[in-house]
Amino acid sequence: MSATRRIAVIIGAGPGLAASIAKSLSTTHSLLLLSRSLPDSLPKLNLPTGIPKENILALSSDGSASSLKKVFEDLKKHWPDSRVDVGVYNVNQSFVMKDFLDSEESQLRAGLESGVVGGWNFAQSLLPLFLANEPDNTTGARGVLLFTGATMSLRGGAKFSSLAPGMFARRSLSQSLAREFGSKGVHVGHIIVDGIIDSERVREQMGEDKDNTRLNPDHIAQTYLALINQPRSAWTQELDLRPDNERW
Amino acid sequence: MSATRRIAVIIGAGPGLAASIAKSLSTTHSLLLLSRSLPDSLPKLNLPTGIPKENILALSSDGSASSLKKVFEDLKKHWPDSRVDVGVYNVNQSFVMKDFLDSEESQLRAGLESGVVGGWNFAQSLLPLFLANEPDNTTGARGVLLFTGATMSLRGGAKFSSLAPGMFARRSLSQSLAREFGSKGVHVGHIIVDGIIDSERVREQMGEDKDNTRLNPDHIAQTYLALINQPRSAWTQELDLRPDNERW
Amino acid sequence: MSATRRIAVIIGAGPGLAASIAKSLSTTHSLLLLSRSLPDSLPKLNLPTGIPKENILALSSDGSASSLKKVFEDLKKHWPDSRVDVGVYNVNQSFVMKDFLDSEESQLRAGLESGVVGGWNFAQSLLPLFLANEPDNTTGARGVLLFTGATMSLRGGAKFSSLAPGMFARRSLSQSLAREFGSKGVHVGHIIVDGIIDSERVREQMGEDKDNTRLNPDHIAQTYLALINQPRSAWTQELDLRPDNERW
Amino acid sequence: MSATRRIAVIIGAGPGLAASIAKSLSTTHSLLLLSRSLPDSLPKLNLPTGIPKENILALSSDGSASSLKKVFEDLKKHWPDSRVDVGVYNVNQSFVMKDFLDSEESQLRAGLESGVVGGWNFAQSLLPLFLANEPDNTTGARGVLLFTGATMSLRGGAKFSSLAPGMFARRSLSQSLAREFGSKGVHVGHIIVDGIIDSERVREQMGEDKDNTRLNPDHIAQTYLALINQPRSAWTQELDLRPDNERW
């Protein structure tokens, strides 16, 4: 890494998986962290004190085109000589399983916004920056864009009629972008997290993971990092992650 | 058919596939045809003169909850003693392949509306009617709900980043509904039409199908009818349809 | 049907699904029925007495190339002026779920023989006959070759390590043949039967289907017939069939 | 790593991908390399001189149960106090695309042997050793078993009717074993290598990879290593690998 500061952008930056990804990238990248509740919620992310504060920029974004436009303008002012080369779309749906006939159209729409519209806007903001980069010396990538998926990205289910559509749509976006931008030097991947992430919030709500059936967010982040480090001759578009004890 | 009038509802009722499905159902069902441009565009559907006019009701709907509410109220007034037991969600996207970075968010949103939001609303309107039906004597179904899919329901592609998300989402909806309502007597299917339908509009734009590489809409409709007639012990959730000459 | 006798060949011709398929084809086709235990086991198939005996030829075959060679020589002698245009590969595995480390290599091998080797040989015998046919007046097909699949054609499972490989392999064969022979006028399909078929043997072993969770073989056969009757512009390569009460 | 020697077993150990995997494992593991032509062909693998010779054991095996039995007896004598905890099934088919009707049954059978029978036997040999291990301190795994797949593991194709069945079957085996042995501490993965590996043999036959369309075997091996190092709460069962320039 030369004098140029490298930036990784994580949207949907809450205390679970996103914080672990941020941590795993912090030795090579400065971090632009985005979510609705940032920057106020930054302390909740519990990032290690070892990460220099000047390497973190936390801003609010709801994933809309206008909010992302503002965010990337702010980024340019904040770190003018930088190379943005990693993006992680990690926005979660508020997860409410419901009988179809008890569901509101607004739930479907919320799922589509977080599932795919925000990711589409995020990609619109990031890709021009990626394409302006030189290929990375080690991987050959101009940029890496990773999307977090879930079991319901692959199959619908009873009570998932308002939740799964946005996640199917997100997966399709990752495929279309991989096919369009792969030969232009951009690595686009989709990580299917199949199971419950053992975040602090989950532990508060459901207790400790006594049976070892949850995914440790640091362990998931290890694979995000492995994808980011893949050289261009062998890129992964999609993989699954699940605990050894998960039935599937 | 006994004294009770059976109704099939087709939304996205244009002159190509929908007209063929309408034709194939017209011997057993009265038809409620819906699209934005109906009833004005009804003559363009070129329905056979053999279908009695009193068996057709053509109304305008854009797939919104409010327009569908009105449509089904009108239906009830028009044919008070009826059994609605077939629904076909056949709404097409306006099909514009574009480079991602030349695309507008409005295209993605239009694709999501026609791809899945309209289908979700359509199912909200139909399912309560289906669940109130007795099982059909022959098939055991209280109702059949079929969704038209496409190749891009299964895989993203370069230049499909705004088109595929809505169709992936539609597929997920069909799966979720099948899983939730199968055991309640509702057959939900998804038909992947893999190729170009040889409709009149396509022939005008692209010429005759000299190489026999297109799907004849009457032939597609034959399979819709076969699914509608499947008995409840052997229902299809998904199938593909393509011409023998299609490369895939 | 003109003067030319049409022949459908069904291998794996036991009393469950195969008998139902035979029945459904008997009005348009003479039947060549094949299995290891035929012709002795013919009475067990319980074919309707309405099918003229001279329209049935039952022969023994184990799916080997040599046995099939003999069978098709016998066929030609028996019905010299005929058109063979339907083939159904319906050979079942003997279904024994086992822990992997308690399994014998011979079980895997038996599964591969019935799963794919027999089907490969069957296709080798049938395709030259199909290619020599004129296209059917109605469907445009020179021949239709259908393979029976199962849930384990699509996903492996604990205790399925010796059973699933042959069924995955069968599915791949159906895809390869569809892609190679579609444009030559041969329709190749794969039917995923997801659930337990309510055959006489199953009823003897497991009792009546009180909860309506099994597939009625006549209902499955109805869909085989629908595929056989699809016109060439809209052929199905794969579909699933399951009871409304099946959880999946 | 304590005093106990860790062993990785690679079968299908030729000069391309397998040699790269061997290299990447050589800092943590001693290597048992297996193929038909070993040990004679060992020099062709061009392993780095930095790997101590006493850390390599090269033996002949054709993947049969009897040859593997002998191999693992030899292993035990050669390195009595060891922990076998990695296995890689990397056996390739001799790759001959043919029209179906020009193909021999022996080609299909050869594909099934290398595709799945050898892998089944390999797993029979390895899994009892894995299950006897303590969980690894870092990953929690008792053992990791990786299978190399290909594009034709996922879809059949014209001219692939004898090649794809064995690879579909291999994939099914990896799924069944993952589902059966995951909760017992064994990580089973399937890596879909989608494209041509830029091995020395390929360069001799097809020239240099001027357009950067091939997979570098060292780059593929990097992802094998990443899977081997995944902690048990976030294991990958399947992923794809392809060059940025690959069209798919």
Side-chain angles (χ1 to χ4, degrees):
Chain A
M1 187 165 54
S2 73
T4 306
R5 184 186 292 269
R6 302 181 82 139
I7 315 279
V9 190
I10 304 173
I11 187 165
L17 173 55
S20 293
I21 297 171
K23 211 165 45 180
S24 77
L25 285 167
S26 63
T27 56
T28 53
H29 286 71
S30 290
L31 303 167
L32 172 55
L33 304 177
L34 305 174
S35 82
R36 278 173 205 272
S37 57
L38 285 172
D40 292 352
S41 61
L42 186 57
K44 292 190 191 157
L45 267 66
N46 266 327
L47 292 177
T49 51
I51 307 181
K53 282 193 177 170
E54 62 269 24
N55 287 0
I56 300 175
L57 177 62
L59 298 173
S60 177
S61 172
D62 60 3
S64 65
S66 57
S67 90
L68 286 165
K69 187 159 178 285
K70 171 126 189 17
V71 155
F72 280 89
E73 286 167 1
D74 291 354
L75 169 66
K76 200 169 178 184
K77 283 179 211 152
H78 191 78
W79 286 318
D81 291 319
S82 59
R83 170 194 166 96
V84 179
D85 60 10
V86 171
V88 177
Y89 189 77
N90 187 56
V91 178
N92 289 316
Q93 302 190 34
S94 54
F95 190 83
V96 186
M97 291 168 59
K98 279 207 175 179
D99 287 345
F100 177 64
L101 292 174
D102 295 335
S103 305
E104 306 287 330
E105 186 184 327
S106 58
Q107 297 164 335
L108 171 69
R109 288 188 179 279
L112 294 172
E113 291 298 317
S114 61
V116 70
V117 178
W120 196 96
N121 287 328
F122 189 59
Q124 286 282 349
S125 297
L126 279 176
L127 283 164
L129 303 179
F130 286 0
L131 295 177
N133 291 335
E134 290 301 306
D136 179 81
N137 286 335
T138 307
T139 67
R142 297 180 197 273
V144 185
L145 175 54
L146 300 181
F147 292 87
T148 301
T151 314
M152 65 176 154
S153 308
L154 292 180
R155 45 177 276 153
K159 308 207 175 186
F160 281 84
S161 44
S162 306
L163 294 165
M167 295 303 282
F168 268 60
R170 184 185 294 186
R171 182 173 180 244
S172 93
L173 178 64
S174 83
Q175 291 180 9
S176 294
L177 295 178
R179 288 195 165 94
E180 183 169 346
F181 292 96
S183 62
K184 295 173 179 163
V186 179
H187 179 185
V188 183
H190 184 244
I191 295 99
I192 297 164
V193 179
D194 186 6
I196 296 171
I197 300 179
D198 190 37
S199 64
E200 204 164 317
R201 195 189 321 178
V202 165
R203 282 195 300 274
E204 280 165 15
Q205 291 175 357
M206 307 170 61
E208 293 296 311
D209 180 24
K210 290 179 192 161
D211 304 326
N212 290 321
T213 57
R214 298 186 199 144
L215 296 107
N216 179 318
D218 287 347
H219 296 171
I220 303 175
Q222 178 175 324
T223 292
Y224 277 69
L225 197 62
L227 291 198
I228 289 167
N229 289 327
Q230 284 180 327
R232 57 145 288 284
S233 97
W235 280 347
T236 292
Q237 207 285 309
E238 187 165 87
L239 58 73
D240 51 4
L241 289 173
R242 70 177 61 76
D244 52 358
N245 284 327
E246 172 82 1
R247 290 181 60 92
W248 50 294
Chain B
M1 187 161 55
S2 74
T4 306
R5 184 185 292 269
R6 300 180 83 140
I7 314 279
V9 190
I10 305 174
I11 186 164
L17 173 55
S20 293
I21 297 171
K23 213 166 41 180
S24 77
L25 285 167
S26 63
T27 56
T28 53
H29 287 73
S30 292
L31 302 167
L32 171 56
L33 305 177
L34 305 175
S35 82
R36 278 173 205 272
S37 58
L38 284 172
D40 292 351
S41 61
L42 185 57
K44 293 191 190 157
L45 268 65
N46 267 325
L47 292 176
T49 52
I51 308 180
K53 283 193 178 172
E54 62 268 25
N55 287 0
I56 300 174
L57 177 61
L59 297 173
S60 178
S61 171
D62 60 2
S64 65
S66 58
S67 91
L68 286 165
K69 186 158 180 286
K70 170 123 188 22
V71 156
F72 280 89
E73 285 168 2
D74 289 355
L75 169 66
K76 200 168 180 183
K77 285 178 209 152
H78 191 79
W79 286 318
D81 290 320
S82 58
R83 168 193 167 96
V84 179
D85 60 10
V86 172
V88 178
Y89 189 77
N90 186 54
V91 178
N92 288 317
Q93 303 191 33
S94 54
F95 191 82
V96 185
M97 290 168 59
K98 279 208 176 179
D99 288 344
F100 177 63
L101 292 174
D102 295 336
S103 305
E104 305 287 329
E105 185 184 329
S106 58
Q107 297 164 335
L108 171 69
R109 289 189 178 280
L112 294 171
E113 291 299 315
S114 61
V116 69
V117 178
W120 196 95
N121 287 329
F122 190 59
Q124 286 282 348
S125 296
L126 279 175
L127 283 164
L129 302 180
F130 286 0
L131 295 177
N133 290 335
E134 289 302 306
D136 178 81
N137 287 335
T138 308
T139 67
R142 297 181 196 274
V144 185
L145 175 54
L146 299 182
F147 292 87
T148 301
T151 315
M152 65 176 156
S153 309
L154 291 180
R155 44 176 275 152
K159 309 208 175 186
F160 282 83
S161 44
S162 306
L163 293 165
M167 295 303 283
F168 267 62
R170 184 185 295 185
R171 181 172 181 244
S172 94
L173 178 64
S174 83
Q175 291 180 7
S176 294
L177 295 177
R179 288 195 164 94
E180 182 169 348
F181 292 97
S183 61
K184 295 173 180 162
V186 179
H187 179 185
V188 182
H190 184 244
I191 294 101
I192 296 164
V193 179
D194 185 8
I196 297 171
I197 299 178
D198 191 36
S199 65
E200 205 165 315
R201 194 190 320 179
V202 165
R203 281 196 300 275
E204 280 165 14
Q205 291 176 357
M206 306 170 59
E208 292 297 311
D209 180 24
K210 290 178 191 162
D211 305 326
N212 290 320
T213 57
R214 299 188 198 142
L215 295 106
N216 180 318
D218 287 348
H219 296 171
I220 304 175
Q222 178 175 321
T223 292
Y224 277 70
L225 198 62
L227 291 198
I228 290 166
N229 289 327
Q230 284 181 327
R232 57 145 289 284
S233 97
W235 279 348
T236 293
Q237 207 284 310
E238 186 166 87
L239 58 72
D240 50 5
L241 288 173
R242 69 176 62 76
D244 52 356
N245 285 325
E246 173 81 2
R247 290 182 59 92
W248 49 292
Chain C
M1 188 161 54
S2 73
T4 308
R5 183 186 293 269
R6 301 180 83 139
I7 313 280
V9 190
I10 304 173
I11 187 164
L17 172 56
S20 293
I21 297 170
K23 211 165 43 178
S24 77
L25 285 167
S26 64
T27 56
T28 53
H29 286 74
S30 291
L31 302 166
L32 171 56
L33 304 177
L34 306 175
S35 81
R36 279 173 204 274
S37 58
L38 285 173
D40 292 352
S41 59
L42 186 57
K44 292 190 190 159
L45 267 65
N46 268 325
L47 292 177
T49 51
I51 307 180
K53 282 195 178 171
E54 62 268 26
N55 287 1
I56 300 174
L57 178 61
L59 297 173
S60 177
S61 171
D62 59 3
S64 65
S66 57
S67 90
L68 286 166
K69 186 160 180 285
K70 172 127 188 15
V71 155
F72 281 88
E73 285 167 1
D74 289 356
L75 169 66
K76 199 168 180 184
K77 283 179 209 151
H78 191 77
W79 286 319
D81 291 320
S82 59
R83 169 194 167 97
V84 179
D85 60 10
V86 172
V88 177
Y89 189 77
N90 187 54
V91 178
N92 289 316
Q93 302 190 36
S94 54
F95 192 82
V96 185
M97 289 168 59
K98 278 207 175 178
D99 287 344
F100 177 64
L101 292 174
D102 295 336
S103 304
E104 305 286 331
E105 185 184 330
S106 57
Q107 297 164 334
L108 171 70
R109 289 189 178 281
L112 295 171
E113 291 300 315
S114 61
V116 69
V117 178
W120 197 95
N121 287 328
F122 189 59
Q124 285 283 347
S125 296
L126 279 176
L127 282 164
L129 302 179
F130 285 0
L131 295 177
N133 290 337
E134 288 301 307
D136 179 80
N137 286 335
T138 308
T139 67
R142 296 180 198 274
V144 185
L145 175 55
L146 300 181
F147 292 87
T148 301
T151 315
M152 66 176 155
S153 307
L154 291 180
R155 42 177 276 152
K159 309 208 176 184
F160 282 84
S161 45
S162 306
L163 293 165
M167 294 304 281
F168 267 61
R170 184 185 294 185
R171 182 172 180 244
S172 95
L173 178 64
S174 83
Q175 291 181 8
S176 294
L177 295 177
R179 288 196 164 92
E180 182 168 349
F181 292 96
S183 61
K184 295 172 179 164
V186 179
H187 180 185
V188 183
H190 183 244
I191 295 99
I192 296 164
V193 180
D194 185 8
I196 297 170
I197 300 177
D198 190 37
S199 64
E200 203 164 317
R201 195 191 318 178
V202 165
R203 282 196 299 274
E204 281 165 13
Q205 290 176 358
M206 305 170 62
E208 292 298 311
D209 179 24
K210 289 178 193 163
D211 305 325
N212 290 320
T213 57
R214 298 185 199 145
L215 295 106
N216 180 317
D218 287 348
H219 296 170
I220 303 175
Q222 179 175 322
T223 292
Y224 277 70
L225 198 62
L227 291 198
I228 290 166
N229 288 328
Q230 284 181 326
R232 57 145 288 285
S233 97
W235 280 347
T236 293
Q237 208 284 311
E238 187 164 88
L239 58 71
D240 50 5
L241 290 173
R242 70 176 61 77
D244 52 357
N245 286 326
E246 173 81 2
R247 289 181 60 92
W248 49 293
Chain D
M1 188 163 54
S2 72
T4 307
R5 184 185 292 269
R6 300 180 84 138
I7 314 280
V9 190
I10 304 173
I11 187 164
L17 173 55
S20 293
I21 297 171
K23 212 164 44 178
S24 77
L25 285 167
S26 63
T27 55
T28 52
H29 286 73
S30 291
L31 302 167
L32 171 57
L33 304 177
L34 305 174
S35 83
R36 278 173 205 273
S37 58
L38 284 173
D40 292 351
S41 60
L42 186 57
K44 291 190 190 159
L45 267 66
N46 266 325
L47 292 176
T49 51
I51 307 181
K53 282 194 178 171
E54 62 267 26
N55 287 1
I56 301 175
L57 177 62
L59 297 173
S60 178
S61 171
D62 60 2
S64 65
S66 56
S67 91
L68 285 166
K69 185 159 180 285
K70 171 127 188 15
V71 156
F72 281 89
E73 286 167 2
D74 290 355
L75 169 67
K76 197 168 181 184
K77 283 179 211 152
H78 191 78
W79 286 318
D81 290 319
S82 57
R83 169 193 167 96
V84 179
D85 60 11
V86 172
V88 177
Y89 189 76
N90 187 55
V91 178
N92 289 315
Q93 302 190 36
S94 54
F95 191 81
V96 185
M97 290 168 58
K98 279 208 176 180
D99 287 344
F100 178 64
L101 292 174
D102 296 337
S103 305
E104 305 287 330
E105 185 184 329
S106 58
Q107 297 164 334
L108 171 70
R109 289 189 178 280
L112 294 172
E113 290 298 316
S114 61
V116 69
V117 179
W120 196 96
N121 287 329
F122 189 60
Q124 286 283 347
S125 296
L126 278 176
L127 282 164
L129 302 180
F130 286 179
L131 295 178
N133 290 336
E134 289 301 307
D136 179 80
N137 286 335
T138 308
T139 67
R142 296 180 198 274
V144 184
L145 175 55
L146 300 181
F147 292 87
T148 301
T151 314
M152 65 176 157
S153 308
L154 291 180
R155 43 177 276 152
K159 310 207 175 186
F160 281 83
S161 45
S162 306
L163 293 165
M167 294 303 281
F168 267 61
R170 184 185 294 185
R171 183 172 179 244
S172 94
L173 178 64
S174 83
Q175 291 181 8
S176 294
L177 295 178
R179 287 196 165 91
E180 182 168 348
F181 292 97
S183 62
K184 294 172 181 164
V186 179
H187 179 185
V188 183
H190 184 244
I191 294 100
I192 296 164
V193 179
D194 185 7
I196 296 171
I197 299 179
D198 190 37
S199 65
E200 204 164 317
R201 195 191 317 179
V202 165
R203 282 195 299 275
E204 280 165 14
Q205 290 175 357
M206 306 170 60
E208 293 296 311
D209 180 23
K210 289 178 193 163
D211 304 326
N212 290 320
T213 57
R214 299 187 198 143
L215 295 107
N216 179 317
D218 287 348
H219 296 170
I220 305 175
Q222 178 174 323
T223 293
Y224 278 69
L225 198 62
L227 291 198
I228 290 166
N229 288 328
Q230 284 181 326
R232 57 145 288 284
S233 97
W235 279 347
T236 293
Q237 208 285 309
E238 187 164 86
L239 58 74
D240 50 5
L241 289 173
R242 71 176 60 78
D244 51 358
N245 286 325
E246 173 80 2
R247 288 182 61 92
W248 49 293

